[in-house]
mmCIF file of all heavy atoms in Angstrom:
data_model
loop_
_atom_site.group_PDB
_atom_site.id
_atom_site.type_symbol
_atom_site.label_atom_id
_atom_site.label_comp_id
_atom_site.label_asym_id
_atom_site.label_seq_id
_atom_site.Cartn_x
_atom_site.Cartn_y
_atom_site.Cartn_z
ATOM 1 N N VAL A 1 -0.932 -14.194 -4.979
ATOM 2 C CA VAL A 1 -2.066 -14.640 -4.312
ATOM 3 C C VAL A 1 -1.734 -16.026 -3.762
ATOM 4 O O VAL A 1 -1.318 -16.955 -4.524
ATOM 5 C CB VAL A 1 -3.327 -14.713 -5.184
ATOM 6 C CG1 VAL A 1 -4.480 -15.409 -4.413
ATOM 7 C CG2 VAL A 1 -3.698 -13.382 -5.745
ATOM 8 N N LEU A 2 -1.841 -16.233 -2.401
ATOM 9 C CA LEU A 2 -1.510 -17.441 -1.771
ATOM 10 C C LEU A 2 -2.731 -17.947 -0.963
ATOM 11 O O LEU A 2 -3.302 -17.110 -0.171
ATOM 12 C CB LEU A 2 -0.322 -17.184 -0.792
ATOM 13 C CG LEU A 2 0.223 -18.465 -0.063
ATOM 14 C CD1 LEU A 2 0.955 -19.399 -1.000
ATOM 15 C CD2 LEU A 2 1.110 -18.049 1.091
ATOM 16 N N MET A 3 -3.054 -19.223 -1.127
ATOM 17 C CA MET A 3 -4.132 -19.826 -0.421
ATOM 18 C C MET A 3 -3.618 -20.915 0.490
ATOM 19 O O MET A 3 -2.783 -21.720 0.069
ATOM 20 C CB MET A 3 -5.164 -20.456 -1.401
ATOM 21 C CG MET A 3 -6.278 -21.283 -0.713
ATOM 22 S SD MET A 3 -7.383 -22.050 -1.967
ATOM 23 C CE MET A 3 -6.308 -23.367 -2.615
ATOM 24 N N MET A 4 -3.990 -20.829 1.767
ATOM 25 C CA MET A 4 -3.584 -21.829 2.717
ATOM 26 C C MET A 4 -4.712 -22.839 2.953
ATOM 27 O O MET A 4 -5.891 -22.485 3.056
ATOM 28 C CB MET A 4 -3.286 -21.202 4.093
ATOM 29 C CG MET A 4 -2.109 -20.248 4.119
ATOM 30 S SD MET A 4 -0.564 -20.986 3.649
ATOM 31 C CE MET A 4 -0.321 -22.243 4.911
ATOM 32 N N VAL A 5 -4.385 -24.143 2.800
ATOM 33 C CA VAL A 5 -5.297 -25.246 3.047
ATOM 34 C C VAL A 5 -4.627 -26.135 4.053
ATOM 35 O O VAL A 5 -3.623 -26.880 3.752
ATOM 36 C CB VAL A 5 -5.680 -26.047 1.808
ATOM 37 C CG1 VAL A 5 -6.647 -27.173 2.094
ATOM 38 C CG2 VAL A 5 -6.297 -25.104 0.737
ATOM 39 N N LEU A 6 -5.078 -26.091 5.273
ATOM 40 C CA LEU A 6 -4.470 -26.745 6.426
ATOM 41 C C LEU A 6 -2.897 -26.435 6.496
ATOM 42 O O LEU A 6 -2.624 -25.281 6.622
ATOM 43 C CB LEU A 6 -4.703 -28.271 6.320
ATOM 44 C CG LEU A 6 -6.153 -28.745 6.350
ATOM 45 C CD1 LEU A 6 -6.301 -30.171 6.034
ATOM 46 C CD2 LEU A 6 -6.874 -28.324 7.579
ATOM 47 N N ASP A 7 -2.107 -27.400 6.218
ATOM 48 C CA ASP A 7 -0.597 -27.101 6.301
ATOM 49 C C ASP A 7 0.016 -26.974 4.956
ATOM 50 O O ASP A 7 1.200 -27.197 4.739
ATOM 51 C CB ASP A 7 0.109 -28.142 7.123
ATOM 52 C CG ASP A 7 0.058 -29.567 6.603
ATOM 53 O OD1 ASP A 7 -0.671 -29.731 5.556
ATOM 54 O OD2 ASP A 7 0.648 -30.496 7.159
ATOM 55 N N GLU A 8 -0.822 -26.671 3.882
ATOM 56 C CA GLU A 8 -0.358 -26.559 2.514
ATOM 57 C C GLU A 8 -0.492 -25.188 2.090
ATOM 58 O O GLU A 8 -1.614 -24.576 2.262
ATOM 59 C CB GLU A 8 -1.102 -27.487 1.623
ATOM 60 C CG GLU A 8 -0.914 -28.956 1.882
ATOM 61 C CD GLU A 8 -1.720 -29.907 0.942
ATOM 62 O OE1 GLU A 8 -2.583 -29.365 0.191
ATOM 63 O OE2 GLU A 8 -1.553 -31.047 1.062
ATOM 64 N N ALA A 9 0.515 -24.583 1.443
ATOM 65 C CA ALA A 9 0.444 -23.249 0.838
ATOM 66 C C ALA A 9 0.305 -23.438 -0.660
ATOM 67 O O ALA A 9 1.089 -24.152 -1.305
ATOM 68 C CB ALA A 9 1.671 -22.517 1.151
ATOM 69 N N HIS A 10 -0.740 -22.847 -1.242
ATOM 70 C CA HIS A 10 -0.923 -22.989 -2.658
ATOM 71 C C HIS A 10 -0.794 -21.601 -3.301
ATOM 72 O O HIS A 10 -1.439 -20.723 -3.041
ATOM 73 C CB HIS A 10 -2.365 -23.463 -2.940
ATOM 74 C CG HIS A 10 -2.574 -24.925 -2.498
ATOM 75 N ND1 HIS A 10 -2.527 -26.017 -3.362
ATOM 76 C CD2 HIS A 10 -2.780 -25.453 -1.243
ATOM 77 C CE1 HIS A 10 -2.689 -27.143 -2.631
ATOM 78 N NE2 HIS A 10 -2.882 -26.793 -1.369
ATOM 79 N N LEU A 11 0.279 -21.510 -4.126
ATOM 80 C CA LEU A 11 0.484 -20.298 -4.911
ATOM 81 C C LEU A 11 -0.358 -20.222 -6.062
ATOM 82 O O LEU A 11 -0.143 -21.001 -7.040
ATOM 83 C CB LEU A 11 1.974 -20.082 -5.228
ATOM 84 C CG LEU A 11 2.411 -18.818 -5.871
ATOM 85 C CD1 LEU A 11 2.198 -17.701 -4.853
ATOM 86 C CD2 LEU A 11 3.793 -18.858 -6.348
ATOM 87 N N LEU A 12 -1.394 -19.374 -6.042
ATOM 88 C CA LEU A 12 -2.418 -19.357 -7.149
ATOM 89 C C LEU A 12 -2.004 -18.407 -8.223
ATOM 90 O O LEU A 12 -2.495 -18.673 -9.394
ATOM 91 C CB LEU A 12 -3.802 -18.920 -6.544
ATOM 92 C CG LEU A 12 -4.335 -19.796 -5.381
ATOM 93 C CD1 LEU A 12 -5.649 -19.286 -4.995
ATOM 94 C CD2 LEU A 12 -4.431 -21.226 -5.867
ATOM 95 N N ASN A 13 -1.367 -17.324 -7.965
ATOM 96 C CA ASN A 13 -0.955 -16.379 -8.972
ATOM 97 C C ASN A 13 0.259 -15.549 -8.471
ATOM 98 O O ASN A 13 0.292 -15.177 -7.238
ATOM 99 C CB ASN A 13 -2.131 -15.405 -9.248
ATOM 100 C CG ASN A 13 -2.016 -14.561 -10.477
ATOM 101 O OD1 ASN A 13 -0.911 -14.132 -10.809
ATOM 102 N ND2 ASN A 13 -3.088 -14.358 -11.150
ATOM 103 N N ILE A 14 1.176 -15.237 -9.376
ATOM 104 C CA ILE A 14 2.309 -14.455 -9.055
ATOM 105 C C ILE A 14 2.744 -13.808 -10.366
ATOM 106 O O ILE A 14 2.779 -14.497 -11.378
ATOM 107 C CB ILE A 14 3.474 -15.214 -8.403
ATOM 108 C CG1 ILE A 14 4.627 -14.307 -7.964
ATOM 109 C CG2 ILE A 14 3.961 -16.385 -9.266
ATOM 110 C CD1 ILE A 14 5.608 -14.976 -6.989
ATOM 111 N N SER A 15 3.011 -12.519 -10.367
ATOM 112 C CA SER A 15 3.319 -11.854 -11.587
ATOM 113 C C SER A 15 4.114 -10.529 -11.242
ATOM 114 O O SER A 15 3.856 -9.926 -10.235
ATOM 115 C CB SER A 15 2.009 -11.496 -12.352
ATOM 116 O OG SER A 15 2.345 -11.109 -13.626
ATOM 117 N N VAL A 16 4.979 -10.216 -12.175
ATOM 118 C CA VAL A 16 5.798 -8.949 -12.041
ATOM 119 C C VAL A 16 5.587 -8.226 -13.410
ATOM 120 O O VAL A 16 5.647 -8.738 -14.435
ATOM 121 C CB VAL A 16 7.262 -9.303 -11.824
ATOM 122 C CG1 VAL A 16 8.100 -8.052 -11.852
ATOM 123 C CG2 VAL A 16 7.428 -9.975 -10.422
ATOM 124 N N ALA A 17 5.352 -6.909 -13.298
ATOM 125 C CA ALA A 17 5.175 -6.068 -14.455
ATOM 126 C C ALA A 17 6.430 -6.282 -15.384
ATOM 127 O O ALA A 17 7.564 -6.335 -14.987
ATOM 128 C CB ALA A 17 5.097 -4.588 -13.979
ATOM 129 N N GLN A 18 6.151 -6.269 -16.692
ATOM 130 C CA GLN A 18 7.209 -6.496 -17.605
ATOM 131 C C GLN A 18 8.378 -5.476 -17.484
ATOM 132 O O GLN A 18 9.518 -5.909 -17.635
ATOM 133 C CB GLN A 18 6.722 -6.475 -19.092
ATOM 134 C CG GLN A 18 5.967 -7.685 -19.444
ATOM 135 C CD GLN A 18 5.773 -7.933 -20.945
ATOM 136 O OE1 GLN A 18 5.838 -6.941 -21.677
ATOM 137 N NE2 GLN A 18 5.487 -9.116 -21.328
ATOM 138 N N SER A 19 8.146 -4.254 -17.119
ATOM 139 C CA SER A 19 9.178 -3.261 -16.932
ATOM 140 C C SER A 19 10.078 -3.617 -15.745
ATOM 141 O O SER A 19 11.177 -3.042 -15.668
ATOM 142 C CB SER A 19 8.556 -1.875 -16.766
ATOM 143 O OG SER A 19 7.779 -1.755 -15.609
ATOM 144 N N HIS A 20 9.652 -4.579 -14.887
ATOM 145 C CA HIS A 20 10.485 -4.904 -13.761
ATOM 146 C C HIS A 20 10.988 -6.368 -13.830
ATOM 147 O O HIS A 20 11.641 -6.861 -12.904
ATOM 148 C CB HIS A 20 9.675 -4.741 -12.483
ATOM 149 C CG HIS A 20 9.363 -3.289 -12.228
ATOM 150 N ND1 HIS A 20 10.285 -2.377 -11.752
ATOM 151 C CD2 HIS A 20 8.223 -2.590 -12.374
ATOM 152 C CE1 HIS A 20 9.732 -1.222 -11.628
ATOM 153 N NE2 HIS A 20 8.442 -1.270 -11.965
ATOM 154 N N GLN A 21 10.728 -7.058 -14.930
ATOM 155 C CA GLN A 21 11.126 -8.417 -15.049
ATOM 156 C C GLN A 21 12.654 -8.475 -15.349
ATOM 157 O O GLN A 21 13.225 -7.521 -15.910
ATOM 158 C CB GLN A 21 10.378 -9.109 -16.169
ATOM 159 C CG GLN A 21 8.909 -9.340 -15.748
ATOM 160 C CD GLN A 21 8.130 -9.988 -16.829
ATOM 161 O OE1 GLN A 21 8.565 -10.523 -17.804
ATOM 162 N NE2 GLN A 21 6.811 -10.127 -16.604
ATOM 163 N N GLY A 22 13.254 -9.576 -15.028
ATOM 164 C CA GLY A 22 14.680 -9.858 -15.360
ATOM 165 C C GLY A 22 15.587 -9.169 -14.366
ATOM 166 O O GLY A 22 16.718 -8.980 -14.592
ATOM 167 N N GLN A 23 15.047 -8.683 -13.179
ATOM 168 C CA GLN A 23 15.801 -7.929 -12.219
ATOM 169 C C GLN A 23 15.817 -8.543 -10.904
ATOM 170 O O GLN A 23 16.323 -8.005 -9.884
ATOM 171 C CB GLN A 23 15.262 -6.514 -12.045
ATOM 172 C CG GLN A 23 15.288 -5.719 -13.424
ATOM 173 C CD GLN A 23 14.485 -4.404 -13.241
ATOM 174 O OE1 GLN A 23 14.656 -3.708 -12.317
ATOM 175 N NE2 GLN A 23 13.632 -4.162 -14.246
ATOM 176 N N GLY A 24 15.232 -9.800 -10.851
ATOM 177 C CA GLY A 24 15.162 -10.516 -9.524
ATOM 178 C C GLY A 24 13.995 -10.335 -8.703
ATOM 179 O O GLY A 24 13.867 -10.871 -7.581
ATOM 180 N N TRP A 25 13.009 -9.492 -9.192
ATOM 181 C CA TRP A 25 11.838 -9.179 -8.363
ATOM 182 C C TRP A 25 10.854 -10.407 -8.291
ATOM 183 O O TRP A 25 10.207 -10.484 -7.298
ATOM 184 C CB TRP A 25 11.117 -7.931 -8.898
ATOM 185 C CG TRP A 25 11.980 -6.742 -8.791
ATOM 186 C CD1 TRP A 25 12.398 -5.889 -9.772
ATOM 187 C CD2 TRP A 25 12.600 -6.153 -7.569
ATOM 188 N NE1 TRP A 25 13.224 -4.888 -9.282
ATOM 189 C CE2 TRP A 25 13.307 -5.030 -7.914
ATOM 190 C CE3 TRP A 25 12.545 -6.586 -6.199
ATOM 191 C CZ2 TRP A 25 13.969 -4.282 -6.968
ATOM 192 C CZ3 TRP A 25 13.301 -5.858 -5.279
ATOM 193 C CH2 TRP A 25 13.987 -4.703 -5.685
ATOM 194 N N GLY A 26 10.794 -11.229 -9.311
ATOM 195 C CA GLY A 26 9.977 -12.394 -9.228
ATOM 196 C C GLY A 26 10.498 -13.326 -8.217
ATOM 197 O O GLY A 26 9.659 -13.886 -7.394
ATOM 198 N N ARG A 27 11.732 -13.540 -8.139
ATOM 199 C CA ARG A 27 12.320 -14.390 -7.087
ATOM 200 C C ARG A 27 12.141 -13.776 -5.689
ATOM 201 O O ARG A 27 11.735 -14.468 -4.773
ATOM 202 C CB ARG A 27 13.878 -14.441 -7.381
ATOM 203 C CG ARG A 27 14.619 -15.363 -6.377
ATOM 204 C CD ARG A 27 16.075 -15.536 -6.711
ATOM 205 N NE ARG A 27 16.238 -16.014 -8.083
ATOM 206 C CZ ARG A 27 16.265 -17.349 -8.413
ATOM 207 N NH1 ARG A 27 16.063 -18.235 -7.414
ATOM 208 N NH2 ARG A 27 16.395 -17.697 -9.608
ATOM 209 N N TYR A 28 12.280 -12.481 -5.578
ATOM 210 C CA TYR A 28 12.026 -11.787 -4.338
ATOM 211 C C TYR A 28 10.666 -11.979 -3.834
ATOM 212 O O TYR A 28 10.354 -12.325 -2.727
ATOM 213 C CB TYR A 28 12.376 -10.288 -4.451
ATOM 214 C CG TYR A 28 12.014 -9.467 -3.304
ATOM 215 C CD1 TYR A 28 12.875 -9.305 -2.225
ATOM 216 C CD2 TYR A 28 10.770 -8.873 -3.175
ATOM 217 C CE1 TYR A 28 12.526 -8.561 -1.106
ATOM 218 C CE2 TYR A 28 10.432 -8.054 -2.080
ATOM 219 C CZ TYR A 28 11.286 -7.947 -1.048
ATOM 220 O OH TYR A 28 11.039 -7.196 0.066
ATOM 221 N N LEU A 29 9.658 -11.793 -4.718
ATOM 222 C CA LEU A 29 8.281 -12.026 -4.425
ATOM 223 C C LEU A 29 7.952 -13.447 -4.031
ATOM 224 O O LEU A 29 7.264 -13.701 -3.099
ATOM 225 C CB LEU A 29 7.365 -11.437 -5.564
ATOM 226 C CG LEU A 29 5.848 -11.465 -5.286
ATOM 227 C CD1 LEU A 29 5.496 -10.671 -4.056
ATOM 228 C CD2 LEU A 29 5.140 -10.932 -6.560
ATOM 229 N N LEU A 30 8.526 -14.375 -4.812
ATOM 230 C CA LEU A 30 8.336 -15.804 -4.429
ATOM 231 C C LEU A 30 8.886 -16.114 -3.088
ATOM 232 O O LEU A 30 8.279 -16.870 -2.310
ATOM 233 C CB LEU A 30 8.994 -16.611 -5.539
ATOM 234 C CG LEU A 30 8.853 -18.199 -5.341
ATOM 235 C CD1 LEU A 30 7.378 -18.624 -5.259
ATOM 236 C CD2 LEU A 30 9.558 -18.890 -6.434
ATOM 237 N N VAL A 31 10.106 -15.613 -2.797
ATOM 238 C CA VAL A 31 10.698 -15.866 -1.440
ATOM 239 C C VAL A 31 9.801 -15.307 -0.347
ATOM 240 O O VAL A 31 9.623 -15.952 0.703
ATOM 241 C CB VAL A 31 12.107 -15.264 -1.321
ATOM 242 C CG1 VAL A 31 12.635 -15.178 0.016
ATOM 243 C CG2 VAL A 31 13.146 -16.038 -2.264
ATOM 244 N N GLN A 32 9.200 -14.136 -0.586
ATOM 245 C CA GLN A 32 8.326 -13.559 0.440
ATOM 246 C C GLN A 32 7.111 -14.405 0.639
ATOM 247 O O GLN A 32 6.646 -14.602 1.793
ATOM 248 C CB GLN A 32 7.983 -12.139 -0.027
ATOM 249 C CG GLN A 32 9.083 -11.187 -0.148
ATOM 250 C CD GLN A 32 9.981 -11.132 1.118
ATOM 251 O OE1 GLN A 32 9.472 -10.908 2.225
ATOM 252 N NE2 GLN A 32 11.274 -11.238 0.944
ATOM 253 N N MET A 33 6.544 -14.895 -0.442
ATOM 254 C CA MET A 33 5.304 -15.733 -0.355
ATOM 255 C C MET A 33 5.596 -17.116 0.297
ATOM 256 O O MET A 33 4.841 -17.583 1.127
ATOM 257 C CB MET A 33 4.730 -15.969 -1.777
ATOM 258 C CG MET A 33 4.259 -14.713 -2.420
ATOM 259 S SD MET A 33 3.242 -13.593 -1.431
ATOM 260 C CE MET A 33 1.668 -14.432 -1.344
ATOM 261 N N MET A 34 6.837 -17.632 0.067
ATOM 262 C CA MET A 34 7.243 -18.826 0.811
ATOM 263 C C MET A 34 7.363 -18.627 2.252
ATOM 264 O O MET A 34 6.919 -19.422 3.074
ATOM 265 C CB MET A 34 8.555 -19.386 0.165
ATOM 266 C CG MET A 34 8.430 -19.814 -1.298
ATOM 267 S SD MET A 34 9.980 -20.013 -2.094
ATOM 268 C CE MET A 34 10.783 -21.355 -1.173
ATOM 269 N N ALA A 35 7.926 -17.429 2.676
ATOM 270 C CA ALA A 35 8.066 -17.077 4.078
ATOM 271 C C ALA A 35 6.658 -16.921 4.683
ATOM 272 O O ALA A 35 6.492 -17.387 5.849
ATOM 273 C CB ALA A 35 8.862 -15.826 4.194
ATOM 274 N N ILE A 36 5.806 -16.344 3.993
ATOM 275 C CA ILE A 36 4.372 -16.183 4.550
ATOM 276 C C ILE A 36 3.790 -17.541 4.686
ATOM 277 O O ILE A 36 3.083 -17.879 5.726
ATOM 278 C CB ILE A 36 3.591 -15.199 3.672
ATOM 279 C CG1 ILE A 36 4.092 -13.861 3.763
ATOM 280 C CG2 ILE A 36 2.081 -15.317 3.951
ATOM 281 C CD1 ILE A 36 3.624 -12.902 2.737
ATOM 282 N N GLY A 37 3.905 -18.373 3.707
ATOM 283 C CA GLY A 37 3.353 -19.791 3.780
ATOM 284 C C GLY A 37 3.870 -20.487 5.007
ATOM 285 O O GLY A 37 3.140 -21.090 5.778
ATOM 286 N N ARG A 38 5.184 -20.341 5.323
ATOM 287 C CA ARG A 38 5.805 -20.990 6.499
ATOM 288 C C ARG A 38 5.191 -20.445 7.786
ATOM 289 O O ARG A 38 4.846 -21.081 8.710
ATOM 290 C CB ARG A 38 7.321 -20.760 6.549
ATOM 291 C CG ARG A 38 8.101 -21.831 5.800
ATOM 292 C CD ARG A 38 9.573 -21.795 6.079
ATOM 293 N NE ARG A 38 10.209 -20.572 5.528
ATOM 294 C CZ ARG A 38 10.590 -20.321 4.302
ATOM 295 N NH1 ARG A 38 10.399 -21.270 3.428
ATOM 296 N NH2 ARG A 38 11.158 -19.233 3.963
ATOM 297 N N GLU A 39 5.086 -19.011 7.812
ATOM 298 C CA GLU A 39 4.559 -18.331 8.955
ATOM 299 C C GLU A 39 3.122 -18.732 9.323
ATOM 300 O O GLU A 39 2.694 -18.849 10.414
ATOM 301 C CB GLU A 39 4.557 -16.799 8.757
ATOM 302 C CG GLU A 39 5.971 -16.186 8.788
ATOM 303 C CD GLU A 39 5.962 -14.746 8.271
ATOM 304 O OE1 GLU A 39 4.916 -14.172 8.118
ATOM 305 O OE2 GLU A 39 7.098 -14.280 8.008
ATOM 306 N N LYS A 40 2.364 -19.114 8.200
ATOM 307 C CA LYS A 40 0.978 -19.491 8.352
ATOM 308 C C LYS A 40 0.832 -20.955 8.677
ATOM 309 O O LYS A 40 -0.308 -21.543 8.680
ATOM 310 C CB LYS A 40 0.236 -19.158 7.147
ATOM 311 C CG LYS A 40 0.115 -17.681 6.838
ATOM 312 C CD LYS A 40 -0.785 -16.889 7.783
ATOM 313 C CE LYS A 40 -0.841 -15.436 7.412
ATOM 314 N NZ LYS A 40 -1.626 -14.718 8.399
ATOM 315 N N GLY A 41 1.983 -21.643 8.921
ATOM 316 C CA GLY A 41 1.949 -23.097 9.284
ATOM 317 C C GLY A 41 2.122 -23.999 8.115
ATOM 318 O O GLY A 41 1.846 -25.284 8.236
ATOM 319 N N GLY A 42 2.463 -23.463 6.948
ATOM 320 C CA GLY A 42 2.600 -24.352 5.797
ATOM 321 C C GLY A 42 3.874 -25.230 5.888
ATOM 322 O O GLY A 42 4.960 -24.743 6.229
ATOM 323 N N LEU A 43 3.645 -26.477 5.590
ATOM 324 C CA LEU A 43 4.835 -27.418 5.535
ATOM 325 C C LEU A 43 5.330 -27.644 4.080
ATOM 326 O O LEU A 43 6.480 -27.929 3.891
ATOM 327 C CB LEU A 43 4.450 -28.770 6.131
ATOM 328 C CG LEU A 43 4.011 -28.729 7.539
ATOM 329 C CD1 LEU A 43 3.571 -30.168 7.990
ATOM 330 C CD2 LEU A 43 5.054 -28.175 8.446
ATOM 331 N N ASN A 44 4.423 -27.406 3.149
ATOM 332 C CA ASN A 44 4.745 -27.588 1.687
ATOM 333 C C ASN A 44 4.032 -26.484 0.959
ATOM 334 O O ASN A 44 3.053 -25.909 1.374
ATOM 335 C CB ASN A 44 4.213 -28.943 1.149
ATOM 336 C CG ASN A 44 4.895 -30.095 1.862
ATOM 337 O OD1 ASN A 44 6.092 -30.312 1.602
ATOM 338 N ND2 ASN A 44 4.126 -30.845 2.743
ATOM 339 N N MET A 45 4.666 -26.110 -0.227
ATOM 340 C CA MET A 45 3.957 -25.225 -1.124
ATOM 341 C C MET A 45 3.812 -25.948 -2.453
ATOM 342 O O MET A 45 4.727 -26.661 -2.965
ATOM 343 C CB MET A 45 4.924 -23.923 -1.327
ATOM 344 C CG MET A 45 4.212 -22.889 -2.274
ATOM 345 S SD MET A 45 5.194 -21.384 -2.440
ATOM 346 C CE MET A 45 4.468 -20.461 -1.087
#
């Protein structure tokens, strides 16, 4: 869950099921959320 406030991206919640942890999926999801923050005009997260 990502909230945009002006040019700030606030990551409110991020989680990966335990059966999928330790495989890089948390990093993958975080990278995607960072990209979305940038696309929405975010300068900082």
Side-chain angles (χ1 to χ4, degrees):
V1 177
L2 182 73
M3 174 181 72
M4 295 300 300
V5 179
L6 302 173
D7 62 357
E8 297 178 354
H10 294 260
L11 187 64
L12 303 180
N13 193 322
I14 187 168
S15 192
V16 173
Q18 282 195 343
S19 60
H20 295 285
Q21 290 179 8
Q23 301 170 46
W25 295 122
R27 180 177 304 275
Y28 173 84
L29 185 54
L30 179 58
V31 166
Q32 300 305 311
M33 299 311 287
M34 291 166 64
I36 290 167
R38 273 191 296 278
E39 290 168 12
K40 298 286 182 186
L43 300 178
N44 296 290
M45 180 176 271

